[in-house]
Amino acid sequence: YKDVLDQLSSFKLPTLILRGNSYTNTNGWNKFSSKLFKKYPDVFYKRTGKVKLKGQTFVLFDMIWEPWLYRTKITISKNFFHRDTSYSKSRIAKFNDLMKENKDCILVSHAPPCGYLDKVPKKGSVGSKEVLKIVNKYKPKLVLCGHIHEGKGRAKIGNTLVINAGARGQYDIIDIK
């Protein structure tokens, strides 16, 4: 992580980092991440929350394991996939509150909205139904997501542009005005 953060920090631009698959353990990973990210003043690490940069509000929504979606029961390590079937109504309520309070935001979501840039071979759409509900209800101007590497690209939900950045090493430059 340090090499990546050193490189990102060298650009002297604000960088938002949202927790993803490897941050499923709330103890070890969060302690490690919090300590590491404090060394980089231009890097903003969040879970579900918001960041305001240069007058623009970004609402961030990290991993969500939705019960409708099949998840593997294989344990890769004692800390990975330990939440594979959990569903948190309080997190969804927090997500709704953040969106309601920040209507003109840019949504940064780990998972893409269900049905948009979320197709996986042999499984079909595996995006988040909760993110789709939020996008339809609050209509953020932009949704930035990832998680489904095969889904790299752009799509529209009404007037909302959705960008799935794809896999490691791929990127998109977006001019936000």
Side-chain angles (χ1 to χ4, degrees):
Y1 291 119
K2 185 178 179 327
D3 290 342
V4 171
L5 289 171
D6 285 343
Q7 186 173 12
L8 287 170
S9 188
S10 74
F11 296 119
K12 304 283 188 242
L13 295 170
T15 302
L16 297 173
I17 295 180
L18 179 67
R19 108 181 158 152
N21 294 15
S22 61
Y23 291 101
T24 57
N25 176 293
T26 57
N27 295 320
W29 280 107
N30 287 334
K31 287 177 187 175
F32 167 77
S33 297
S34 296
K35 184 178 176 183
L36 178 63
F37 292 133
K38 283 181 184 176
K39 299 175 185 177
Y40 299 92
D42 293 327
V43 175
F44 301 89
Y45 165 69
K46 286 282 184 185
R47 294 174 64 181
T48 297
K50 72 178 181 177
V51 173
K52 192 162 192 155
L53 298 170
K54 298 184 179 188
Q56 177 61 60
T57 301
F58 295 82
V59 170
L60 292 90
F61 186 63
D62 61 352
M63 284 300 294
I64 182 75
W65 302 110
E66 295 182 35
W68 67 273
L69 183 60
Y70 169 79
R71 297 286 182 187
T72 182
K73 298 291 184 202
I74 298 169
T75 301
I76 293 172
S77 75
K78 68 178 182 176
N79 297 325
F80 201 73
F81 289 131
H82 77 286
R83 291 185 188 173
D84 59 297
T85 59
S86 68
Y87 179 77
S88 172
K89 289 183 181 180
S90 65
R91 287 190 61 237
I92 297 302
K94 179 179 180 178
F95 187 23
N96 267 287
D97 289 345
L98 284 164
M99 293 301 293
K100 191 182 321 176
E101 296 165 5
N102 301 282
K103 294 199 188 265
D104 196 32
C105 73
I106 293 172
L107 172 59
V108 182
S109 171
H110 180 82
C114 185
Y116 297 87
L117 306 170
D118 70 336
K119 301 257 188 304
V120 174
K122 298 181 183 177
K123 291 192 179 183
S125 289
V126 294
S128 170
K129 289 182 179 180
E130 295 298 334
V131 171
L132 179 60
K133 286 181 201 173
I134 289 287
V135 171
N136 283 323
K137 184 174 183 177
Y138 296 106
K139 302 171 184 12
K141 59 180 159 187
L142 177 63
V143 176
L144 303 173
C145 60
H147 186 54
I148 308 302
H149 299 183
E150 302 91 336
K152 179 179 172 41
R154 294 173 181 231
K156 292 277 262 191
I157 301 175
N159 290 327
T160 300
L161 176 62
V162 180
I163 298 175
N164 181 332
R168 178 184 54 175
Q170 298 175 330
Y171 61 91
D172 235 329
I173 297 175
I174 305 160
D175 186 12
I176 300 170
K177 294 179 181 180

